[in-house]
Amino acid sequence: MNKDFTQVGRSVPRKDGPIKVKGEAIYTGDMVLPRMAYGKIKRSPYAHAIIKKIDYSKALEMPGVLAVVTGDEAPNKWGIVPQTANEVALAVGKVRFYNEGVAAVAAIDEETAEAALDLIEVEYEPLPVLTDPFESMKRANEVRIHEDAPENILHSGDQLFGDPDKAFAECTYILEREFSTSYVNHAFLEPHTSLASYDTQSGQLQLWSSTQVPHYLHTQLSIVLEMPMSKIRVTVPAVGGGFGGKGEASSSDFCAALLSRKIGRPVRIVFERSEVFATNKGRHPCHMKVKIGLDKDGYIQAVDFDNTMDGGAYAGWGIVVMFYTASMIHLPYKVPNARANVRRVYTNKPTCGAMRGLGGVQPRFAMECMLDEMAEMIGISPYELKMKNAVESGYRSVSNLHVPHTEYKKCLQTAAERSGYLEKHGKLPFGKGIGLAGGYYISGTAYTLYQSYKPHTTVLLRVDTEGGATLHCAAADIGQGCNTVMAQMAAEALGIRYEDVHVISGDTELGTFDLGSFASRLTYASGVAIKEAAKQINDKLFEVAAGMVGCRADQLEVKDCRFFSKFEPKKTIEWAKVVDVYTNSVGTLTGLGHFSPPRLKGIDLTRGKRVQGANIGHSPTFGFSCQIWEVDVDLETGKIRVDKVTEAGDCGQAVNPMSVDGQVEGSILFAMGQALYEEMKVAPDGKIINASLHDYKVPTAMELPEIDTTIVDSYDPTAPFGVKESGEGPVQPTIPAITNAIYDAIGVRFTDLPITPEKVLKALKEKREKEKSEGK
Amino acid sequence: MYLNNFEYFAPKTPGEALDLVGRMGNKAKVLAGGTDLIIMMKEKMIQPEYLIDINNVKEFKGISYEPGKGAVIGAATKISELEYSPVIRDKYFALHQAAGELGSVQVRTMATIGGNSCHASPAAETPTPLVAFGAKVVISSVSGDRELPLEEFILGNRKNALGEGELLTQFILPEPAPKSASRYWYIGLRDAMEIDAVNMAVNIVLENDGRTVKELTLVMGSVSPRPLVSVEVPGILVGKEFNSELVEKAAQAAAGEAKPISDIRASAEYRREVTAVLARRLLQAAFDAAREV
Ligand SMILES: Cc1cc2nc3c(=O)[nH]c(=O)nc-3n(C[C@H](O)[C@H](O)[C@H](O)COP(=O)(O)OP(=O)(O)OC[C@H]3O[C@@H](n4cnc5c(N)ncnc54)[C@H](O)[C@@H]3O)c2cc1C
């Protein structure tokens, strides 16, 4: 923490708070343009089928119907990862998951558009449906989901660091376990919504979209529509949550744009909840085999990680998520030898993609639970084992991940002390338990998804009498609060107040470049750019202020909206007066800052050799945290009640502590959903049978446990304003902490999710029977 | 998710309402809270030509209670009104509990007690305690009223005993016996917005000694197509001094009587197991409460 900051470190109400609370925020679905038409998508009743014929002549004859488009009209493949791009706006020739879009209609109102869907006749030839990744690999000869993937595998990767086999041979404690995770969706409140307006005169398209990634959406629109990016403008109105699910383009974006271009009128498409589930892009179900070896003193010597990922129908973020799971075994503990064999398999299900804490949650579940078990093998507390192995500032993993700064041990210590973990663990009555887990996450990535080394974020600061200070950046505030923290950091750097900084964001035309809201990258990335831009402005204003107060510019400081001499504080002048003088003589003042992440290479440090996919996982810095959960298991019904969660996190310098608390509490409830309640259920024919928020069970306010959060004192000296992340790190420890707590309560280690009352009851019964047969 | 076109009627008196229901017959649907009806229409499961909104008929709403005689509840009474009614809480505690667990605050503000029984979902919240209280329903039509025990009114999933031209207008709850108490609970994944895996109500009457069971009704929901009134549990407990051994026997008996199915919410096996748990807990809780009165 830096005590000299006045704007950074302040708990301020968010810029978007009041209008959202008052219901005044304008989401894409609230927008109505003159002559606007309404779009709807016709969806496939088969999870895998050849499209033999689409006849929409009857739909076109229906009064009020303006146009229909099909996949053949826009066959260019899009995908957030260009090397694996294999999605189309609407299915071409074949559908690969239940409810995949096959045609889109525009009509004068939504009712007509919906009715017209029934008049589109599609002839299918159904193919066998593969819903299980292992079956998919086994039957690849006979059923192929993508022509270019003969084994039904998008990609597989093998990474070797050091010599794990040799290390295992020397280990005193070795544990091997299998884990699997469930098929979950983000369940954000606002469904995907897109409004496109194509101007036939200028050939310009503007798209308003509920997206996290205006830039990547921009590039994909350019590919599918075959229009230069300079003719497309993407604007992000208020967004009702993304959590990764809006981290790539949505078919609503393409269909709205295609229809608008066809009819020369604005077209809006709002997804229904069933369409959100159908297009998914949620967390990958992972089937993991993990082996961990410790030496006689409990130090980790080797980790072997095998992961089969159920990717669903298309590539999406798949390859990236896959390599993230491999990289996540290298932290937050020191692992000198490691091997990862990972593969992402196609199935006829809605595609998996990015979801809050992507790639981390599944391996964290496995590793934190296994270390808990290994502590028991050794006869020490899981706390002690984790403290012993925790990374320290300056650590470099064998895969070359560099941790410039960490307070991970402080997180473990704080959470343990505040919860009384050491006094309670292993000592609570049967049915009550306490569990600990740690975690970490990246604060941004080292690479763009396409081959380019351009800056990832550019910030333009504008200062003049008319606007005061205005920050321009195309970053998307999806509710995570980047508009607020960018304003706080700009205010800090300029020496003014947060309340006085205007933010213009979420627009590829009005804002300068930004890569998007994912990978917990924006606070760090925009922070660097803001510092650089503000310096250019300060340099010029200092000169003017120096003349006005009568001292040298390099003796000045700016704070609390005043310039003053460091040596003679009485020599002072208001910031606004200096800006007036500057504007009146020279005009508007601008500063431009860029952020380019350090280019780190994924190599095996023991051999100095490059390792495929190991660039993924590098980040300028990392956030860390620890959670301790206390549960009460109803031994008769299997129901798990969470009594309390104690969390301690290292997010670097908290820019807005109130927002950090919000992120942490939100993360806890979010991940608790996957641990205990949520799961998309798929019938053998590929149909999602609980595609509504009535049947897909996200935790409600009633499930919210008591939460005690601590932002541990932290400041990363290599980071702008000392910052890291807090949006995705805090989801990492949740699932294993609950699982470990359940073990402490009832002596059963769960290895698959969600841990439902039914599973708990069954496990308790089996345990009792086993104990009986062993004569206990 | 659009509704079909329909004609909308909003009668203001019972006479108007019954007249409309009589004239429109099967082409019409009664609209109470709409929390089941509108969803079925949106999903195109039904496409009625007419909707008859009964919310403006004040005679169909409200709770009245006369000591010694019992309570009369209008069919269009909102679930939230039941939840907050002091009379329901004091006299019919199990119904108070069930009302408080239906859906969410928003749903309870819209939904009605009549709609809950007419929709006749096996997992419905309020029919279970209502049957445990021996509630009767009043069925009205232009040609007059008839009464039926609620357990005979609910015939199965989305099936009730209403004939063409008939409207459910009232629930009649008998006065609770002295030294009696009732309890309700359910098993579900979450603590709100849950479709119950099992629910149950127990209504117990004790002899003056405060130990012997005089009368007992145990009703199970979500484990058969309609509220299931236990035959065996009263057989085990009535006339006996309440004790944990008998409770255990009764709990097993209830589980044996349950006819659960497996679906996306729970397996039949789990449902049967927790039926016994609910029975054990509710019998004990109702007994403890009855000793206090
Ligand atoms: C989000 C959500 C959560 C829910 N959770 C629960 C829950 O936890 N537990 C539960 O039991 N239910 C739940 N429900 C279902 C529903 O709210 C209840 O069944 C409610 O009591 C229905 O009442 P209503 O007044 O809304 O009925 P409506 O939808 O208006 O009517 C339902 C049916 O009954 C008929 N009808 C209604 N009143 C009469 C009458 N007086 N005479 C003749 N016919 C009539 C209608 O024509 C229709 O066919 C939930 C619903 C939603 C949307």
Side-chain angles (χ1 to χ4, degrees):
Chain A
M1 200 167 82
N2 183 331
K3 296 211 170 60
D4 292 336
F5 287 154
T6 64
Q7 303 303 309
V8 164
R10 237 181 106 192
S11 279
V12 293
R14 291 201 344 208
K15 293 251 175 210
D16 52 332
I19 55 164
K20 281 185 178 162
V21 172
K22 287 189 284 179
E24 290 167 5
I26 295 176
Y27 297 85
T28 309
D30 295 322
M31 293 181 60
V32 178
L33 295 182
R35 299 178 69 241
M36 185 175 92
Y38 297 79
K40 275 272 165 199
I41 296 176
K42 168 95 177 170
R43 295 183 176 279
S44 160
Y46 296 101
H48 199 191
I50 291 168
I51 302 171
K52 312 246 335 185
K53 198 172 126 204
I54 302 179
D55 179 357
Y56 54 80
S57 51
K58 287 199 192 111
L60 276 182
E61 281 165 21
M62 184 173 171
V65 171
L66 302 168
V68 177
V69 289
T70 61
D72 291 332
E73 291 171 57
N76 288 1
K77 292 188 171 147
W78 66 274
I80 184 115
V81 183
Q83 296 85 338
T84 63
N86 66 359
E87 280 188 75
V88 274
L90 291 161
V92 179
K94 186 173 170 181
V95 290
R96 294 178 176 85
F97 65 90
Y98 171 76
N99 259 350
E100 181 165 2
V102 291
V105 178
I108 51 164
D109 55 37
E110 207 167 10
E111 211 173 332
T112 307
E114 192 180 287
L117 295 183
D118 291 337
L119 300 179
I120 299 175
E121 290 162 10
V122 189
E123 226 178 89
Y124 297 95
E125 181 188 320
L127 298 168
V129 173
L130 301 172
T131 59
D132 173 79
F134 295 100
E135 192 199 349
S136 177
M137 289 189 286
K138 213 161 61 198
R139 293 179 62 190
N141 283 337
E142 164 212 346
V143 190
R144 194 177 288 184
I145 296 174
H146 289 275
E147 274 316 302
D148 61 354
E151 294 171 74
N152 283 341
I153 292 175
L154 161 75
H155 200 81
S156 56
D158 302 303
Q159 299 183 340
L160 183 69
F161 303 96
D163 191 344
D165 291 329
K166 183 161 165 268
F168 277 121
E170 289 162 9
C171 281
T172 312
Y173 305 97
I174 293 179
L175 183 68
E176 281 187 74
R177 285 278 177 263
E178 290 188 24
F179 289 83
S180 53
T181 64
S182 46
Y183 189 39
V184 291
N185 180 268
H186 325 78
F188 37 74
L189 282 184
E190 184 206 14
H192 301 274
T193 306
S194 314
L195 166 57
S197 178
Y198 181 81
D199 178 19
T200 47
Q201 258 68 47
S202 62
Q204 269 275 352
L205 174 76
Q206 185 168 9
L207 181 83
W208 291 264
S209 175
S210 177
T211 183
Q212 298 176 230
V213 284
H215 168 67
Y216 282 121
L217 170 56
H218 199 182
T219 60
Q220 306 306 305
L221 285 169
S222 168
I223 292 167
V224 173
L225 299 169
E226 297 183 344
M227 285 169 63
M229 285 173 78
S230 59
K231 287 278 183 194
I232 304 171
R233 172 177 174 190
V234 177
T235 304
V236 188
V239 174
F243 310 108
K246 295 169 184 169
E248 47 191 304
S250 155
S251 48
S252 58
D253 297 318
F254 300 117
C255 292
L258 288 164
L259 287 166
S260 175
R261 187 166 67 177
K262 200 158 184 176
I263 63 176
R265 290 168 65 160
V267 176
R268 191 183 78 193
I269 296 180
V270 184
F271 272 5
E272 284 165 22
R273 183 58 55 180
S274 60
E275 297 180 284
V276 173
F277 281 106
T279 49
N280 189 34
K281 305 289 168 91
R283 204 181 298 294
H284 286 73
C286 287
H287 303 275
M288 302 170 284
K289 286 186 203 157
V290 188
K291 182 173 166 187
I292 301 179
L294 311 180
D295 68 11
K296 65 177 191 340
D297 300 317
Y299 290 99
I300 300 172
Q301 294 306 319
V303 173
D304 200 335
F305 179 72
D306 183 280
N307 189 7
T308 302
M309 304 170 73
D310 183 352
Y314 290 96
W317 278 90
I319 192 170
V320 174
V321 182
M322 182 186 84
F323 281 120
Y324 264 111
T325 69
S327 88
M328 292 282 167
I329 63 177
H330 294 279
L331 293 176
Y333 306 107
K334 297 175 200 161
V335 177
N337 301 282
R339 176 169 37 224
N341 304 104
V342 292
R343 61 210 66 84
R344 184 192 185 265
V345 184
Y346 287 119
T347 52
N348 293 116
K349 292 195 291 204
T351 310
C352 296
M355 182 158 154
R356 197 177 203 171
L358 76 78
V361 169
Q362 303 95 327
R364 196 84 279 123
F365 170 43
M367 287 185 70
E368 293 292 320
C369 288
M370 285 175 72
L371 290 177
D372 203 78
E373 189 171 353
M374 294 188 91
E376 198 179 8
M377 281 167 82
I378 305 178
I380 62 173
S381 158
Y383 171 77
E384 196 187 319
L385 183 65
K386 289 174 185 182
M387 281 295 276
K388 206 181 244 249
N389 284 284
V391 297
E392 285 130 7
S393 296
Y395 176 74
R396 193 176 286 276
S397 76
V398 66
S399 61
N400 201 27
L401 295 174
H402 178 240
V403 180
H405 176 264
T406 173
E407 300 292 355
Y408 181 43
K409 288 187 188 176
K410 216 189 275 174
C411 297
L412 289 165
Q413 252 164 8
T414 308
E417 273 163 24
R418 292 183 68 92
S419 64
Y421 177 79
L422 289 173
E423 296 76 57
K424 293 178 185 166
H425 182 245
K427 302 185 189 88
L428 297 172
F430 192 70
K432 279 182 179 286
I434 187 164
L436 174 152
Y440 83 100
Y441 209 62
I442 52 173
S443 300
T445 58
Y447 297 90
T448 53
L449 290 169
Y450 47 86
Q451 293 289 310
S452 162
Y453 297 108
K454 68 179 171 191
H456 289 196
T457 297
T458 298
V459 165
L460 172 72
L461 284 179
R462 184 190 116 193
V463 168
D464 55 24
T465 306
E466 291 69 28
T470 308
L471 181 151
H472 297 251
C473 179
D477 195 330
I478 58 168
Q480 88 277 38
C482 70
N483 284 357
T484 305
V485 297
M486 288 195 300
Q488 285 184 269
M489 291 187 291
E492 186 68 52
L494 292 172
I496 58 178
R497 289 178 345 130
Y498 152 74
E499 289 80 356
D500 299 332
V501 179
H502 308 287
V503 177
I504 293 177
S505 66
D507 189 305
T508 57
E509 207 164 280
L510 299 179
T512 42
F513 185 83
D514 179 66
L515 212 48
S517 291
F518 57 91
S520 296
R521 53 177 296 282
L522 252 170
T523 307
Y524 191 106
S526 69
V528 171
I530 286 166
K531 272 184 89 169
E532 187 186 333
K535 180 164 187 317
Q536 293 160 21
I537 289 181
N538 286 344
D539 283 350
K540 295 201 178 129
L541 289 181
F542 274 44
E543 287 296 339
V544 176
M548 290 170 78
V549 301
C551 77
R552 266 173 37 201
D554 64 359
Q555 294 179 355
L556 279 179
E557 267 184 19
V558 58
K559 198 171 228 167
D560 298 331
C561 306
R562 300 191 78 83
F563 291 90
F564 56 90
S565 158
K566 274 183 263 192
F567 305 109
E568 301 156 87
K570 265 190 267 164
K571 290 195 170 169
T572 175
I573 184 147
E574 283 163 49
W575 185 82
K577 284 206 174 124
V578 179
V579 170
D580 267 348
V581 168
Y582 190 97
T583 311
N584 281 334
S585 50
V586 190
T588 293
L589 177 55
T590 61
L592 194 66
H594 299 288
F595 166 68
S596 290
R599 276 175 74 178
L600 297 160
K601 278 220 163 358
I603 53 176
D604 169 15
L605 280 187
T606 62
R607 297 181 184 84
K609 270 214 214 117
R610 283 212 56 174
V611 175
Q612 189 216 4
N615 279 349
I616 288 172
H618 289 266
S619 174
T621 190
F622 300 90
F624 296 84
S625 70
C626 172
Q627 283 174 26
I628 293 177
W629 285 63
E630 290 170 68
V631 302
D632 193 343
V633 180
D634 185 327
L635 299 171
E636 291 182 330
T637 66
K639 200 164 165 163
I640 294 157
R641 203 184 70 218
V642 180
D643 287 334
K644 192 172 177 192
V645 184
T646 308
E647 189 270 355
D650 163 16
C651 61
Q653 164 74 50
V655 180
N656 184 352
M658 187 159 70
S659 271
V660 173
D661 286 341
Q663 284 293 333
V664 172
E665 288 166 12
S667 293
I668 283 170
L669 202 63
F670 189 89
M672 179 185 176
Q674 177 162 18
L676 299 179
Y677 312 108
E678 295 174 32
E679 184 174 26
M680 287 164 73
K681 295 185 177 155
V682 186
D685 64 359
K687 189 173 170 180
I688 308 290
I689 51 181
N690 59 340
S692 76
L693 290 183
H694 201 55
D695 294 320
Y696 180 89
K697 311 271 184 185
V698 295
T700 71
M702 297 294 290
E703 275 69 48
L704 183 70
E706 181 190 340
I707 302 176
D708 173 277
T709 63
T710 305
I711 299 172
V712 304
D713 191 8
S714 171
Y715 188 92
D716 180 347
T718 67
F721 308 98
V723 303
K724 300 180 182 176
E725 63 81 36
S726 73
E728 296 184 273
V731 303
Q732 307 293 339
T734 304
I735 296 171
I738 296 177
T739 312
N740 290 338
I742 295 171
Y743 173 74
D744 190 46
I746 61 170
V748 178
R749 292 204 180 270
F750 285 92
T751 55
D752 67 334
L753 304 174
I755 306 170
T756 59
E758 195 161 344
K759 284 187 198 165
V760 171
L761 207 57
K762 193 158 162 251
L764 277 169
K765 215 198 243 167
E766 284 166 7
K767 184 173 178 248
R768 245 176 268 132
E769 273 157 21
K770 195 165 156 235
E771 283 171 359
K772 215 185 279 166
S773 73
E774 287 167 3
K776 277 193 198 160
Chain B
M1 298 287 263
Y2 281 85
L3 307 180
N4 62 286
N5 286 326
F6 54 83
E7 214 170 319
Y8 171 83
F9 296 91
K12 293 211 169 53
T13 66
E16 279 170 32
L18 293 176
D19 183 49
L20 284 165
V21 171
R23 275 197 289 126
M24 316 264 161
N26 285 341
K27 291 183 178 165
K29 274 282 170 192
V30 172
L31 170 68
T35 57
D36 282 318
L37 181 72
I38 302 296
I39 291 174
M40 289 179 72
M41 289 174 69
K42 281 196 166 182
E43 300 202 333
K44 311 244 175 345
M45 294 158 79
I46 49 169
Q47 306 197 328
E49 285 176 40
Y50 309 105
L51 285 194
I52 303 166
D53 181 345
I54 57 168
N55 286 288
N56 299 319
V57 185
K58 60 177 185 309
E59 287 83 351
F60 292 164
K61 292 179 152 181
I63 302 162
S64 61
Y65 172 74
E66 219 179 294
K69 288 185 91 175
V72 176
I73 304 172
T77 306
K78 299 291 184 186
I79 299 293
S80 55
E81 194 178 334
L82 296 174
E83 183 187 359
Y84 294 112
S85 155
V87 166
I88 300 296
R89 196 189 51 229
D90 291 350
K91 300 282 171 188
Y92 307 98
F93 192 72
L95 180 60
H96 160 77
Q97 289 178 297
E101 295 301 326
L102 190 149
S104 61
V105 174
Q106 295 90 329
V107 174
R108 296 195 284 274
T109 308
M110 297 293 291
T112 66
I113 183 171
N116 206 208
S117 279
C118 285
H119 186 67
S121 155
E125 226 78 41
T126 60
T128 310
L130 284 168
V131 169
F133 289 121
K136 277 191 266 179
V137 292
V138 177
I139 298 170
S140 309
S141 69
V142 279
S143 46
D145 292 351
R146 62 183 178 117
E147 284 182 16
L148 264 188
L150 178 59
E151 42 182 313
E152 288 170 31
F153 176 78
I154 296 174
L155 302 177
N157 190 12
R158 293 192 196 129
K159 285 199 203 84
N160 62 43
L162 286 175
E164 214 177 315
E166 286 187 322
L167 193 64
L168 174 64
T169 49
Q170 285 177 338
F171 291 79
I172 301 174
L173 278 64
E175 171 75 15
K179 281 216 110 19
S180 74
S182 65
R183 284 296 180 272
Y184 169 89
W185 209 242
Y186 71 99
I187 301 283
L189 194 56
R190 301 184 297 197
D191 287 341
M193 296 292 281
E194 200 49 71
I195 298 176
D196 305 344
V198 183
N199 68 38
M200 191 181 286
V202 167
N203 189 12
I204 195 170
V205 187
L206 299 182
E207 298 284 5
N208 282 334
D209 63 1
R211 284 194 304 272
T212 311
V213 180
K214 187 175 176 190
E215 281 170 43
L216 175 72
T217 320
L218 182 148
V219 184
M220 299 171 253
S222 217
V223 290
S224 98
R226 40 191 290 228
L228 183 66
V229 184
S230 169
V231 181
E232 291 180 29
V233 172
I236 293 166
L237 280 162
V238 170
K240 309 275 170 50
E241 278 199 17
F242 192 93
N243 68 58
S244 55
E245 219 170 287
L246 287 181
V247 167
E248 190 48 45
K249 213 172 139 195
Q252 295 310 330
E257 284 175 288
K259 301 180 201 68
I261 54 157
S262 292
D263 63 15
I264 59 167
R265 282 180 283 284
S267 70
E269 194 191 351
Y270 180 75
R271 285 193 158 102
R272 196 181 292 282
E273 242 170 288
V274 295
T275 298
V277 177
L278 266 186
R280 199 183 303 132
R281 291 180 181 178
L282 288 173
L283 285 167
Q284 189 66 50
F287 172 74
D288 291 345
R291 284 167 66 95
E292 304 275 300
V293 289

